[in-house]
Amino acid sequence: MDHNRLTRQFLGSLIVAVLGCLGALASLVFNYTATTDGLRITLDITLAVSLAVIVAAAAFCIVVAARIRKLPRQRR
């Protein structure tokens, strides 16, 4: 039971990290072609938020993986 819950949490945070990477990539691509300063600032903020999401999701993945590893063998 715990293994299933932890696995779902791990996969969910992994998906969030991947989506954060896509958001960061989109911000970088569109920032290169931005024409106004307002748009550039907005894309910079979006990039910063995406990077924060990536770091948080990766840290959560590490914590959940450690919890899964601590489970007894028969409960995995």
Side-chain angles (χ1 to χ4, degrees), residues 19-64:
L19 292 176
C21 289
L22 291 175
L25 181 64
S27 294
L28 285 173
V29 167
F30 291 123
N31 199 8
Y32 182 73
T33 60
T35 55
T36 63
D37 288 337
L39 182 59
R40 227 173 266 249
I41 291 170
T42 303
L43 290 171
D44 286 342
I45 292 170
T46 305
L47 178 61
V49 170
S50 295
L51 293 177
V53 166
I54 294 167
V55 169
F60 190 73
C61 280
I62 292 169
V63 169
V64 172

